[in-house]
Amino acid sequence: MEKIVIKYFTDKIDKLEYIDGKSDWIDLRASEDITLKKGEFKLIPLGVAMKLPEGYEAHIVPRSSTFKNFGIIQTNHCGIIDSSYCGDNDMWRMPALAVRDTEIHVNDRICQFRIFKNQPELLFEETTKLEGEDRGGFGSTGKA
Protein backbone atom coordinates (compact mmCIF):
# COMPACT_ATOMS: atom_id res chain seq x y z
CA MET A 1 0.00 0.00 0.00
CA GLU A 2 1.37 3.43 -0.97
CA LYS A 3 1.49 6.17 1.66
CA ILE A 4 0.36 9.71 0.81
CA VAL A 5 1.50 12.51 3.11
CA ILE A 6 -1.23 15.16 3.26
CA LYS A 7 -1.40 18.67 4.67
CA TYR A 8 -4.79 20.21 5.48
CA PHE A 9 -4.92 24.00 5.26
CA THR A 10 -8.13 24.19 7.30
CA ASP A 11 -10.08 22.14 9.82
CA LYS A 12 -13.38 23.23 8.22
CA ILE A 13 -13.38 20.48 5.55
CA ASP A 14 -13.93 16.78 6.07
CA LYS A 15 -10.85 14.58 5.96
CA LEU A 16 -10.30 12.66 2.72
CA GLU A 17 -11.95 9.27 2.35
CA TYR A 18 -13.13 7.01 -0.43
CA ILE A 19 -16.52 7.92 -1.90
CA ASP A 20 -19.12 6.12 0.24
CA GLY A 21 -17.02 2.96 0.12
CA LYS A 22 -18.23 2.39 -3.47
CA SER A 23 -15.39 3.81 -5.52
CA ASP A 24 -11.65 4.31 -5.58
CA TRP A 25 -12.16 8.01 -6.37
CA ILE A 26 -11.87 10.47 -3.47
CA ASP A 27 -13.94 13.66 -3.13
CA LEU A 28 -12.30 17.06 -2.79
CA ARG A 29 -14.09 19.95 -1.11
CA ALA A 30 -14.09 23.72 -1.36
CA SER A 31 -12.07 25.14 1.52
CA GLU A 32 -13.63 28.61 1.42
CA ASP A 33 -16.96 30.19 0.52
CA ILE A 34 -17.03 31.25 -3.14
CA THR A 35 -19.52 33.51 -4.92
CA LEU A 36 -19.27 33.62 -8.71
CA LYS A 37 -21.26 35.57 -11.27
CA LYS A 38 -21.99 34.05 -14.67
CA GLY A 39 -18.81 34.16 -16.77
CA GLU A 40 -16.41 34.55 -13.83
CA PHE A 41 -13.34 32.35 -13.37
CA LYS A 42 -11.82 31.29 -10.05
CA LEU A 43 -9.17 28.88 -8.84
CA ILE A 44 -11.23 27.26 -6.09
CA PRO A 45 -9.02 26.27 -3.14
CA LEU A 46 -9.43 22.64 -2.10
CA GLY A 47 -7.69 22.91 1.27
CA VAL A 48 -5.12 20.13 0.79
CA ALA A 49 -1.56 19.61 -0.41
CA MET A 50 -0.01 16.18 -0.84
CA LYS A 51 3.32 14.50 -1.33
CA LEU A 52 2.57 11.87 -3.95
CA PRO A 53 4.92 8.91 -4.25
CA GLU A 54 7.55 9.21 -6.99
CA GLY A 55 6.16 7.89 -10.28
CA TYR A 56 2.53 8.76 -9.50
CA GLU A 57 0.18 11.60 -10.43
CA ALA A 58 -3.28 12.72 -9.35
CA HIS A 59 -6.10 13.27 -11.87
CA ILE A 60 -8.73 15.77 -10.70
CA VAL A 61 -12.14 15.90 -12.39
CA PRO A 62 -15.54 17.36 -11.47
CA ARG A 63 -18.07 15.18 -9.66
CA SER A 64 -21.00 14.07 -11.81
CA SER A 65 -23.29 16.47 -9.91
CA THR A 66 -20.97 19.51 -9.94
CA PHE A 67 -22.43 21.19 -13.01
CA LYS A 68 -26.05 20.54 -11.93
CA ASN A 69 -25.49 21.69 -8.35
CA PHE A 70 -23.13 24.63 -8.85
CA GLY A 71 -23.22 25.63 -12.54
CA ILE A 72 -19.45 25.48 -12.92
CA ILE A 73 -17.22 23.66 -15.34
CA GLN A 74 -13.59 22.74 -14.71
CA THR A 75 -11.71 24.75 -17.31
CA ASN A 76 -8.89 22.26 -17.83
CA HIS A 77 -11.44 19.39 -17.78
CA CYS A 78 -8.94 17.07 -16.11
CA GLY A 79 -6.32 18.52 -13.81
CA ILE A 80 -3.05 16.65 -13.46
CA ILE A 81 -0.88 17.05 -10.36
CA ASP A 82 2.50 15.37 -10.55
CA SER A 83 4.73 14.36 -7.67
CA SER A 84 6.85 17.53 -7.96
CA TYR A 85 3.91 19.72 -6.80
CA CYS A 86 4.45 19.04 -3.13
CA GLY A 87 5.66 22.20 -1.40
CA ASP A 88 4.30 23.45 1.90
CA ASN A 89 2.11 26.03 0.09
CA ASP A 90 1.17 23.92 -2.96
CA MET A 91 -2.55 23.75 -2.18
CA TRP A 92 -4.61 21.92 -4.77
CA ARG A 93 -7.17 24.09 -6.59
CA MET A 94 -9.93 23.56 -9.14
CA PRO A 95 -9.97 26.05 -12.04
CA ALA A 96 -13.68 26.79 -12.51
CA LEU A 97 -15.81 28.88 -14.86
CA ALA A 98 -19.35 29.79 -13.77
CA VAL A 99 -22.07 29.41 -16.41
CA ARG A 100 -24.63 30.95 -14.02
CA ASP A 101 -24.51 32.93 -10.80
CA THR A 102 -23.59 30.50 -8.05
CA GLU A 103 -22.44 30.03 -4.48
CA ILE A 104 -20.13 27.31 -3.24
CA HIS A 105 -19.73 26.84 0.48
CA VAL A 106 -16.92 25.51 2.63
CA ASN A 107 -16.95 21.70 2.61
CA ASP A 108 -19.08 21.40 -0.56
CA ARG A 109 -17.89 18.42 -2.60
CA ILE A 110 -17.01 19.89 -6.01
CA CYS A 111 -14.48 17.54 -7.57
CA GLN A 112 -12.77 14.20 -7.09
CA PHE A 113 -9.37 12.67 -7.65
CA ARG A 114 -7.64 9.39 -8.23
CA ILE A 115 -3.94 8.48 -8.18
CA PHE A 116 -2.40 6.87 -11.27
CA LYS A 117 1.05 5.54 -12.07
CA ASN A 118 2.90 7.71 -14.55
CA GLN A 119 2.84 6.53 -18.13
CA PRO A 120 5.88 4.41 -19.01
CA GLU A 121 8.40 5.74 -21.52
CA LEU A 122 7.14 4.98 -25.02
CA LEU A 123 8.91 4.44 -28.32
CA PHE A 124 6.92 5.44 -31.42
CA GLU A 125 7.62 3.31 -34.47
CA GLU A 126 6.52 4.89 -37.74
CA THR A 127 4.65 2.92 -40.43
CA THR A 128 2.75 3.65 -43.63
CA LYS A 129 -0.01 1.10 -42.95
CA LEU A 130 -1.82 -0.15 -39.86
CA GLU A 131 -3.12 -3.72 -39.84
CA GLY A 132 -6.28 -3.10 -37.78
CA GLU A 133 -9.83 -2.99 -39.16
CA ASP A 134 -10.52 0.30 -40.98
CA ARG A 135 -13.77 1.57 -39.52
CA GLY A 136 -13.52 4.82 -41.54
CA GLY A 137 -15.25 6.93 -39.00
CA PHE A 138 -15.07 8.69 -35.68
CA GLY A 139 -15.07 7.30 -32.16
CA SER A 140 -16.58 4.01 -31.08
CA THR A 141 -19.49 4.14 -33.55
CA GLY A 142 -17.33 4.36 -36.67
CA LYS A 143 -19.62 7.14 -37.94
CA ALA A 144 -18.47 10.64 -38.79
Side-chain angles (χ1 to χ4, degrees):
M1 179 180 295
E2 296 287 349
K3 179 171 75 171
I4 307 288
V5 177
I6 183 169
K7 174 184 177 178
Y8 290 93
F9 288 83
T10 179
D11 60 359
K12 295 178 181 175
I13 59 173
D14 291 352
K15 303 293 186 197
L16 297 185
E17 61 184 0
Y18 286 105
I19 299 173
D20 298 327
K22 298 183 271 184
S23 173
D24 59 356
W25 287 84
I26 300 167
D27 284 336
L28 292 165
R29 298 166 182 273
S31 64
E32 65 182 52
D33 289 329
I34 304 289
T35 299
L36 292 169
K37 298 289 184 195
K38 181 180 178 177
E40 286 185 328
F41 170 82
K42 172 91 174 160
L43 289 171
I44 301 174
L46 302 172
V48 296
M50 296 181 213
K51 172 66 175 140
L52 301 177
E54 189 68 32
Y56 287 82
E57 61 193 24
H59 293 200
I60 299 175
V61 298
R63 299 182 76 243
S64 60
S65 61
T66 297
F67 184 78
K68 175 184 69 78
N69 291 342
F70 303 106
I72 59 173
I73 55 175
Q74 184 173 331
T75 58
N76 59 355
H77 304 289
C78 178
I80 308 297
I81 297 179
D82 66 32
S83 61
S84 70
Y85 190 70
C86 61
D88 194 46
N89 293 305
D90 288 340
M91 185 191 319
W92 291 13
R93 299 171 191 274
M94 177 189 183
L97 177 69
V99 299
R100 61 175 162 82
D101 293 356
T102 190
E103 289 185 3
I104 300 166
H105 300 287
V106 169
N107 211 41
D108 281 345
R109 297 180 301 162
I110 59 170
C111 54
Q112 58 192 337
F113 80 100
R114 187 170 185 225
I115 305 296
F116 290 91
K117 283 190 174 184
N118 291 64
Q119 178 172 283
E121 188 174 332
L122 303 173
L123 173 65
F124 294 97
E125 181 179 328
E126 211 171 314
T127 186
T128 58
K129 178 154 178 61
L130 296 175
E131 299 301 322
E133 180 184 342
D134 185 1
R135 296 175 16 191
F138 176 80
S140 63
T141 64
K143 297 178 182 176

